[in-house]
Amino acid sequence: MATRRTPQGGPRRGSRRDQVQRNIRPGARGTDRARTAEASAPRPRFTNRMAILVVVIAVLVISYASSMRAYLQQRSHISDLRAQIVSSESDIKALEREKRRWADTEYVEQQARERLGWVMPGETSYQVIDRDGKPLERADELTDPNTVARSVPAPWWSKVYGSLEVADHPKKAPTPATRITPSPTPTPDPGQ
């Protein structure tokens, strides 16, 4: 191998190409077969470094996924607790309102009249009794007059004409009832 001189006068080793050829195995140096074998050899796609990186990423994903699941469960638990707090606060307000009502003597008197049927001294109490002889409950109420279908009264001339017909033909007149019979009361259903 020839050494070249540098402008400063020192020996210079060969070019870059010479240095690369020195690094090739001694038996394969300079052969075309060795050069093509190095150029065509595929690099492995999955190296040890890649395997370690995949394992580290998998461990990180698993640890973060379990942490995320715990975080989401805690958030849902917190929202449930907040909803319970809101409903409890509304219940407390309603109970405080009820407590203030019971402190009023007029409200207490009204509840004693409605629930227990009590009256003040000197008052007379009445109780409505059903056909069966049982007292009507508070739930039993009269129907609203606005919901009942209105019957249209017959015109006066039809009543006059009807009385003339009865006077002309007395056999057509209905006989009056001698005794009023109550309508049959419905029997209670044993299944109720």
Side-chain angles (χ1 to χ4, degrees):
M1 179 179 338
T3 56
R4 297 183 189 161
R5 298 259 177 207
T6 61
Q8 291 83 12
R12 181 175 174 201
R13 299 202 179 226
S15 68
R16 175 80 178 141
R17 184 174 156 211
D18 292 338
Q19 289 175 358
V20 170
Q21 283 182 353
R22 268 187 256 137
N23 290 336
I24 299 177
R25 290 180 284 140
R29 215 178 269 164
T31 62
D32 289 335
R33 180 192 278 172
R35 287 188 191 124
T36 57
E38 286 179 9
S40 67
R43 290 185 174 173
R45 291 187 180 191
F46 195 71
T47 63
N48 289 340
R49 287 184 183 171
M50 183 66 78
I52 292 171
L53 182 64
V54 167
V55 168
V56 168
I57 289 175
V59 168
L60 288 175
V61 166
I62 291 170
S63 67
Y64 285 134
S66 64
S67 298
M68 181 61 84
R69 183 174 52 92
Y71 171 75
L72 293 176
Q73 286 177 345
Q74 289 172 354
R75 294 299 297 172
S76 68
H77 185 67
I78 288 171
S79 65
D80 291 341
L81 290 176
R82 285 184 179 156
Q84 287 178 0
I85 288 171
V86 168
S87 68
S88 296
E89 287 175 350
S90 66
D91 291 344
I92 288 170
K93 287 179 184 177
L95 291 173
E96 287 174 349
R97 201 170 36 247
E98 186 72 20
K99 183 179 176 183
R100 283 192 305 269
R101 282 175 140 181
W102 283 103
D104 185 17
T105 57
E106 292 179 10
Y107 181 75
V108 173
E109 287 178 13
Q110 176 192 4
Q111 292 301 312
R113 287 177 191 272
E114 288 180 7
R115 294 182 183 186
L116 304 174
W118 291 2
V119 293
M120 295 298 287
E123 293 181 347
T124 305
S125 174
Y126 296 99
Q127 194 167 20
V128 180
I129 297 177
D130 196 5
R131 290 182 189 172
D132 306 351
K134 297 178 183 177
L136 291 177
E137 297 294 325
R138 179 159 175 77
D140 298 332
E141 294 181 1
L142 295 175
T143 57
D144 185 17
N146 295 331
T147 61
V148 177
R150 302 237 180 232
S151 62
V152 179
W156 63 271
W157 57 84
S158 65
K159 290 181 184 178
V160 171
Y161 182 74
S163 65
L164 288 176
E165 285 289 319
V166 171
D168 284 345
H169 308 288
K171 293 181 183 177
K172 290 184 180 178
T175 58
T178 58
R179 182 171 177 231
I180 298 176
T181 57
S183 62
T185 58
T187 58
D189 190 16
Q192 291 181 350

